[in-house]
Structure formats: structure tokens, C-alpha cells
Amino acid sequence: PLLVKMVWFSLVELFFKVKMTTPFSKLFNAYCERVGKSLSTQRFMFDGQRLSPNDTPAKVNSISFLLITYFP
């Protein structure tokens, strides 16, 4: 499994363990539910690139750890 850390302005940090083939939509939905935000108003970035809900860790070439930054 891959360890994913999602950070919101360094205030909220959540960790998820996912498979390399798990679509980011699952992470985005879980994150938004936990922080009480609407998915339609949020952006998620990795390494300066905006992530699509259909992307997977394998598609963004993550090896063992992925840091996703969340922007309202």
C-alpha cells in the first residue's frame, strides 16, 4: 500500500493507505467529508500539478509516499 498525506494549509493533516490503482476521487471524497467541505469547491495538488479525480498514484508516478496539498 501507498501512504498518502493530505494537508490543508498545514493545519489539517490526514493520512490514508491506498493501492496504486485507487482513484483519487475516493481520497478527495473522504477528505472533504472529514473536514466538512464540498468537493466541488476544492482543488488538490501534487508536485505543482492539479490532480484529477480519475488520476491514480500510479499515474502520477508516486513510489511509496504522496503528499497532496489541498486548496479551498
Side-chain angles (χ1 to χ4, degrees), residues 10-25:
S10 301
L11 300 176
V12 176
E13 295 181 351
L14 296 177
F15 291 86
F16 300 90
K17 284 187 181 178
V18 298
K19 295 179 182 177
M20 293 296 285
T21 56
T22 301
F24 286 129
S25 59

Side-chain angles (χ1 to χ4, degrees), residues 6-9 12-14 16 26-37 44 70:
M6 297 181 77
V7 180
W8 177 65
F9 291 118
V12 176
E13 295 181 351
L14 296 177
F16 300 90
K26 288 187 177 185
L27 292 173
F28 298 168
N29 288 325
Y31 190 87
C32 287
E33 283 180 23
R34 290 189 190 177
V35 298
K37 301 290 182 182
F44 296 88
Y70 152 87

